[in-house]
Amino acid sequence: MSEHGFETEGLAKSFGKVTALDGVSVAVPRGQVHGLLGPNGAGKTTVIRILATLLRPDSGRASVAGFDVVRQPGRVRGRIAWSGQHTSVDEELTGLANLVMIGRLLDLPRPRARLRAGELLARFGLEEAAGRPVAGYSGGMRRRLDLAASMVGHPEVVFLDEPSVGLDPGKRDELWQLIRGLRADGVTVLLTTQYLEEADALADAVTVIDHGRVIASGTPAELKRQVGGHTIVVRVDDPADTGTAAAVLADVADRTPERSSRHELVVPVAGAEDFFEITARLREHRVAVSELSLRLPSLDEVFLALTGAPGTTANDPHEPTKAA
Amino acid sequence: MTATSLEQPRTRPFAWCRHSLVLARRSLAKTARNPGPIINGIITPALFLVLFLYLFGGSVAGSTAEYVQYLFPGILVMGAGLAGMVSTGTAINLDLKNGVTDRFRSLPISRVAPLLGSVLADLVRYLIAVAVLFALGALLGFRAAGGFGAALAAAGLAIAFGFCLSWVTVFVGVLVRSAEVVLAIGFISFLPLQLGTSLAAPVETLPGWLRTWAEINPVSHAMDACRALLDGTPVGDSVTTTLIWCAILFVVFCPLAVRAYSRQQ
């Protein structure tokens, strides 16, 4: 048995002239939750589809649970579950019928398939809705059913492509609990997300990709240290104070703050301690502020810190994966 | 964690066959919950039957009682053709679009099982369409002079022809990205394919260009064959021609559709 849940080496894939992946290597130990982070069009979906045997790489190697995704796709499919960006359950069928069907496709005898479906419906909080057609389910219920459908075959490795898209914060927490539950069962999970916060909440380790290349990897804590963790935003009352405030920020944060407007300064800091230090010093220097906040880094700031260039979070042209 | 992730060994024989049956059930369950498409596929030929019968029955054949004997077999072929066109082609296209097909492909089942399942379910839908049309025909005065056996043969031939023709739609459904386009192609091809035939009047009575087309059109041959079978008149080479067309359509478009479907990656 491979010690890796899954592994890729120099994965490359192009769609026509568009290069989606340009040498992606990731290795994730069994039983870990791994976050694949990146803006739209970075190649996250392409990586996950190759691992789920839905797409062939042009070059490079990928294996899941020790089996090669190109040479042994059948072995891989017997051990994985895949859940796409759009929930892929049948609208016309009931929640129960959807799960029983997957069980039957996995060669469970009908009674076993029904039993397994019942177990999963209970675990995913869908018992009451089990007999209703999915067409009447809410977005959160569909997502849970989709996840339940992934779990029917007791997969060893689960691939979730942007699982929290379209969920409100409460439902998202629910989903996070379910994913932590998978981890507790020893399942290896790969999830893609655009949000550092999500990766932070769930993942043992994170790989950041952009334009089809790995630009950073490590635990969320490592990544944050690299990025600078939090950001402090100071908005001074009087623009004349900007110079003083900038000196304070530069001194504490050990970086030159960016002036985002006439009144506003932004600087990445290591953590909350810096925030209190800056607060105290601003008071000492009698700088009147109208706004002072400590923010988690946005994905843009991660990219700023990791690549030295602003991330392309929206309307990226390199997004062939949606159509694939 | 154990070495086998599934509760059953995956080496049981005829897996593709079993999985296709499971997916055929799925397709039929979907039709039962959402019968719109199949109702559409039955109402259209039913409307043409009633419309043509009462509009033209008197002038074409002298009476509606005479005309229904001529018109009904063509309507039967149209019904079987439509039943095939409306189901698998659009259903496969929708499944591809909303990711259901991807889920199936990530499962350890045969890649073509979803396609085969849907086509198997089509056979049930053909039977329903043909049965409903026969009931309506009987209500409007149609009598199968050729007897029960011949009626069964005509129904079988219509279904076989509809099935083989449906592979063209399946192929289009796999290739084209949007279900609307699949429907539009189906609708546009309906006129020349189903109406440019011997449906309403013998091809000899049609003007030159239309006659040329209707004589080439395989649907005409299927209609003529069913008409002869149901009437108990000599079938000539109409049945043979229809079967040859069935074989051509199937042999060309089934592999094309299956190949396009399993290559969708």
Side-chain angles (χ1 to χ4, degrees), chain A residues 134-145:
Chain A
V134 174
Y137 281 25
S138 70
M141 289 161 77
R142 273 165 210 239
R143 190 39 97 174
R144 275 182 281 155
L145 183 66

Side-chain angles (χ1 to χ4, degrees), chain A residues 77-78 90 107 112 146, chain B residues 5 7 19 26 30 103 111:
Chain A
R77 287 180 202 132
D90 278 322
D107 286 344
R112 290 293 295 273
D146 198 60
Chain B
S5 62
E7 297 179 15
H19 297 149
R26 158 183 182 258
K30 282 168 79 102
R103 152 142 298 143
R111 290 230 140 179

Side-chain angles (χ1 to χ4, degrees), chain B:
Chain B
M1 214 180 310
T2 56
T4 51
S5 62
L6 297 174
E7 297 179 15
Q8 288 282 313
R10 290 188 299 108
T11 45
R12 282 167 58 187
F14 303 115
W16 64 272
C17 191
R18 238 181 10 259
H19 297 149
S20 298
L21 284 175
V22 170
L23 290 166
R25 268 183 71 112
R26 158 183 182 258
S27 177
L28 289 174
K30 282 168 79 102
T31 294
R33 292 265 186 194
N34 177 22
I38 191 178
I39 288 176
N40 255 337
I42 294 174
I43 281 186
T44 308
L47 271 179
F48 273 106
L49 176 59
V50 173
L51 205 69
F52 281 15
L53 185 59
Y54 291 107
L55 277 180
F56 308 133
S59 64
V60 175
S63 74
T64 54
E66 280 288 305
Y67 193 48
V68 75
Q69 293 299 121
Y70 180 85
L71 184 61
F72 179 76
I75 293 291
L76 192 67
V77 172
M78 180 196 273
L82 277 179
M85 268 165 107
V86 294
S87 33
T88 291
T90 42
I92 285 285
N93 183 277
L94 276 177
D95 282 353
L96 280 167
K97 224 172 57 175
N98 60 24
V100 176
T101 307
D102 280 336
R103 152 142 298 143
F104 292 147
R105 282 181 177 155
S106 72
L107 295 173
I109 62 172
S110 157
R111 290 230 140 179
V112 289
L115 194 63
L116 290 177
S118 189
V119 168
L120 274 176
D122 274 353
L123 289 179
V124 177
R125 286 186 280 259
Y126 290 124
L127 286 176
I128 295 171
V130 164
V132 171
L133 286 177
F134 260 113
L136 182 69
L139 213 65
L140 296 177
F142 175 78
R143 296 292 173 265
F148 184 69
L152 273 187
L157 191 66
I159 290 175
F161 184 73
F163 171 78
C164 294
L165 190 62
S166 79
W167 282 101
V168 182
T169 332
V170 173
F171 181 53
V172 172
V174 174
L175 283 189
V176 174
R177 285 253 178 255
S178 107
E180 286 82 9
V181 176
V182 179
L183 275 178
I185 291 174
F187 183 73
I188 292 166
S189 63
F190 173 81
L191 291 174
L193 210 58
Q194 298 287 348
L195 297 183
T197 58
S198 63
L199 171 72
V203 290
E204 296 81 36
T205 66
L206 301 176
W209 60 273
L210 187 57
R211 178 176 174 177
T212 310
W213 162 246
E215 278 173 350
I216 299 169
N217 191 348
V219 181
S220 277
H221 296 290
M223 288 175 174
D224 290 343
C226 282
R227 194 174 293 121
L229 283 169
L230 286 167
D231 264 354
T233 53
V235 295
D237 56 4
S238 60
V239 172
T240 321
T241 314
T242 306
L243 289 175
I244 290 173
W245 268 111
C246 285
I248 293 173
L249 288 169
F250 184 77
V251 166
V252 172
F253 285 97
C254 174
L256 278 177
V258 168
R259 219 177 70 147
Y261 182 77
S262 44
R263 282 225 175 149
Q264 275 265 343
Q265 50 173 10

